[in-house]
Amino acid sequence: MDKSRRLQGFTLVELLVVIAIIGVLVGLLLPAVQAAREAARRMQCVNNLKQMGLGFLNHESTHGILPCSGWTAVYLGDPLLGTGREQPGGWIYQILPYVEQQAIYDITDDGDKLNITAAQRQQSIDLQGKPISFFNCPSRRPAQAQPYALSNSWTPRNGARAPFVARSDYAANAGDGEKGMEFWLEDEKKYETKIEWLFFDYKTLGDKQWPPLDGQTGVNYQGAEIGFKDITDGSSNTYAVGEKYLNPLYYESDGTDDGGDNHSMYQGFDWDVNRWTSVNDPPLQDRLGQESYGSFGSAHPGGFNMANCDGSVQIVSYDVDPDVHRRASHRNDGGGILPVQIPITP
Amino acid sequence: MKFVALTMNFKNCAFRRVFLQVSLVVACFMYLEGCSRGPAAVQVPDVDPADASQQAMELYDTDHDGALSDKELVSCPGIQRHMQLYDKDGNGSLSLEEVEEQIRQLLSSRVGVTSLRVDVRMNGRPLPGAQVKIVPEKYLGENVKTAYGTTNPRGTAAMDIRDEDSPASEHGLRGVHYGTYKVEVTHPEISIPEKYNTQTTLGYETEKGNPNFVVELKNR
């Protein structure tokens, strides 16, 4: 009996048992493998932020100030306008020379400082569509230019409409303003964005009326030139750059559906490249169907990465105390507390 | 030969159920693994633009001419504020199709909650402690919920939907549904004219790319 059975090969029971064991093993292993892959992506994201933090520091060593925020959403970087608040491009554009991307920085160099030439407009199309690998988080989306379908009113005033634009997953810390891009005007006791702050004239830049310095509280916003002397809370206690929140439905989109992720990342001050930390903009994990233009946040489970002004990078939990998160973005509120760091585990 | 015998027996085999169960378990593991990325999606309120626009006409077309005039829209300030967006042909009144088209566009982003901060200003000064309530227009149906907020010392209120109006997985999310609203402002200490609360003339409609809104009140 024994002998004849062995000759018949596997029985069905043996086969089923083997399948069951394999099933359980796969079920146990898959999550572990996925978690390890996610941990690796998160480390790469930390690395990206480290690069940006170093870019901020190198900029500070060279010019004595951190990169500024640029003008507004409808202006692109122009290398001839130098550094400081008179540079129309935002912080991403301004740190390019310090993260070995001088070639991209120089694209819109048309040799004419005071005029917006046809050549400059043409070059700007090239600039807007240039993705850079470390400005995108690997857990979220690849560094690729994406289609651009916004109305013509959003065409850059010192450039041309581009069919494809590169977007970033990182945003600089503009402070704890409750209304995001609007500045608090202490004299008038209200939040506002004045029309004369939005539009600029290359030729009269020297007489430009800028938004008040105390209208925002972070380290990167329109009109502010922040050096380490202005960050009295200490550079290691104040956020510089972090991951921005996005609705996963619009990771890859033509920009018409998410006001916080539509223009090219070389633009000036906007929801796209600056984020806030007030209780109205709590840190969030990317979640289908939720929209927030002002929050930091990421696709990683557990927490999001933030680089501080001293170049260090930390993972902050989504459950961080709202006030601790808010004060970590304020450069001079006397609060030196940093969010409790959660250990990096695979 | 032996394999053929196995397959032929399989159909009537007693272990067929066991085999199916095991494969079901394996499939479940793989499915769960696939879904384990990120929190559950936020529910998008279900509104039918055709139905809603029909209802809007019934509610506000008081002279039954098949169009909403500027005068009729006084009782729907949310639409009136955005007349230019609605009035595609620019003739000064809204047809059923224009209302339906705008409602469709308004809801096209498939967003469940979006953040909204309302500034309340009384006679040009921020009004702290005011209670702000945004009530969705009736024609949007019951799925779009009312949101509430209280202004802080700078007169800013972060609007939120009450927990009892949202599913448990969405408690703690700060935000409002996309839609057209009537705005009501009350204050526990200061008396606020009726035209800003019970007989409100204030309206709001969510705008893509702009999470801020200012309400200017006057009591003198």
Side-chain angles (χ1 to χ4, degrees), chain A residues 62-78:
Chain A
T62 312
H63 302 289
I65 48 168
L66 293 173
C68 300
S69 78
W71 298 352
T72 54
V74 290
Y75 291 92
L76 292 165
D78 182 342

Side-chain angles (χ1 to χ4, degrees), chain A residues 7-8 10 12-13 15-16 19-20 23-24 26-27 30-31 34 38 41 139 177-180 182 184 186-191 247 249-250 256-257 259 271 278-281 284-294, chain B residues 2 6 10 13 15-16 18-19 22 26 29-30 33 37-42 44 108-115 117-119 121 124-126 152 154 156 158 169-170 173-174 178 207-214 216:
Chain A
L7 280 175
Q8 280 178 14
F10 293 120
L12 191 58
V13 186
L15 199 67
L16 290 179
I19 291 174
V24 170
V26 168
L30 260 182
Q34 293 294 0
E38 167 56 26
R41 286 193 290 258
S139 290
E178 291 162 336
K179 297 196 75 184
E182 295 183 20
W184 173 252
E186 187 57 38
D187 298 341
E188 299 169 45
K189 294 267 183 279
K190 65 165 153 182
Y191 286 102
N247 180 352
L249 200 54
Y250 301 121
T256 50
D257 282 307
W271 306 103
S278 78
V279 285
N280 298 347
D281 297 310
L284 301 166
Q285 183 176 2
D286 287 3
R287 183 167 180 181
L288 270 175
Q290 186 171 16
E291 184 174 75
S292 172
Y293 307 131
Chain B
K2 276 161 201 156
L6 186 76
F10 180 67
C13 169
F15 295 111
R16 182 164 167 243
V18 181
F19 179 77
V22 169
V26 173
F29 269 123
M30 292 183 156
E33 181 46 37
R37 287 192 67 183
V42 178
V44 181
S108 64
S109 292
R110 283 174 289 154
V111 165
V113 293
T114 184
S115 66
R117 320 96 205 269
V118 177
D119 270 13
R121 305 174 62 75
R125 308 288 292 174
N152 68 5
R154 286 184 174 182
T156 303
S169 62
E170 288 164 29
L173 292 187
R174 207 182 273 259
Y178 263 75
E207 290 170 77
K208 274 178 200 167
N210 184 10
N212 297 331
F213 176 58
V214 181
E216 297 274 2

Side-chain angles (χ1 to χ4, degrees), chain B residues 123-169:
Chain B
N123 304 320
R125 308 288 292 174
L127 180 63
Q131 281 155 3
V132 188
K133 181 173 159 190
I134 58 170
V135 187
E137 288 291 346
K138 286 214 173 57
Y139 61 78
L140 290 173
E142 286 179 355
N143 294 328
V144 181
K145 302 292 185 191
T146 305
Y148 304 81
T150 306
T151 57
N152 68 5
R154 286 184 174 182
T156 303
M159 304 304 291
D160 199 9
I161 295 168
R162 281 185 179 161
D163 279 357
E164 58 258 38
D165 290 336
S166 57
S169 62

Side-chain angles (χ1 to χ4, degrees), chain A residues 5-53:
Chain A
R5 191 158 240 214
R6 211 173 290 128
L7 280 175
Q8 280 178 14
F10 293 120
T11 64
L12 191 58
V13 186
E14 286 165 341
L15 199 67
L16 290 179
V17 167
V18 168
I19 291 174
I21 292 173
I22 292 176
V24 170
L25 281 180
V26 168
L28 289 175
L29 265 176
L30 260 182
V33 172
Q34 293 294 0
R37 294 181 63 204
E38 167 56 26
R41 286 193 290 258
R42 192 168 62 193
M43 285 314 294
Q44 198 184 333
C45 180
V46 168
N47 221 30
N48 292 349
L49 275 166
K50 185 79 192 170
Q51 289 281 349
M52 288 169 228

Side-chain angles (χ1 to χ4, degrees), chain A residues 109-269:
Chain A
D109 184 353
D110 61 345
D112 187 342
K113 183 179 172 185
L114 292 179
N115 293 302
I116 302 164
T117 61
Q120 184 180 347
R121 291 191 190 280
Q122 196 57 39
Q123 290 155 346
S124 80
I125 297 178
D126 190 20
L127 173 70
Q128 290 173 75
K130 278 266 184 295
I132 300 176
S133 62
F134 55 80
F135 283 116
N136 287 98
C137 171
S139 290
R140 193 179 266 167
R141 54 185 176 182
Q144 272 171 2
Q146 293 173 21
Y148 183 78
L150 261 72
S151 74
N152 280 333
S153 60
W154 291 105
T155 300
R157 301 294 188 272
N158 63 348
R161 189 187 171 84
F164 292 93
V165 298
R167 302 191 178 107
S168 163
D169 286 333
Y170 301 95
N173 161 30
D176 63 354
E178 291 162 336
K179 297 196 75 184
M181 289 188 59
E182 295 183 20
F183 285 74
W184 173 252
L185 308 180
E186 187 57 38
D187 298 341
E188 299 169 45
K189 294 267 183 279
K190 65 165 153 182
Y191 286 102
E192 202 181 318
T193 296
K194 294 196 168 166
I195 194 84
E196 61 260 35
W197 300 339
L198 295 177
F199 299 102
F200 290 69
D201 186 344
Y202 267 44
K203 285 171 186 157
T204 56
L205 251 193
D207 312 319
K208 174 74 186 166
Q209 181 82 43
W210 296 92
L213 184 66
D214 53 7
Q216 300 271 7
T217 57
V219 298
N220 190 272
Y221 52 92
Q222 195 188 349
E225 295 180 335
I226 306 285
F228 281 151
K229 66 177 189 313
D230 303 306
I231 307 174
T232 52
D233 286 1
S235 61
S236 52
N237 299 323
T238 307
Y239 295 149
V241 197
E243 292 186 81
K244 70 179 187 189
Y245 171 81
L246 284 181
N247 180 352
L249 200 54
Y250 301 121
Y251 281 170
E252 280 163 30
S253 76
D254 62 6
T256 50
D257 282 307
D258 190 341
D261 188 56
N262 43 17
H263 307 293
S264 137
M265 63 184 181
Y266 306 108
Q267 62 165 215
F269 185 57

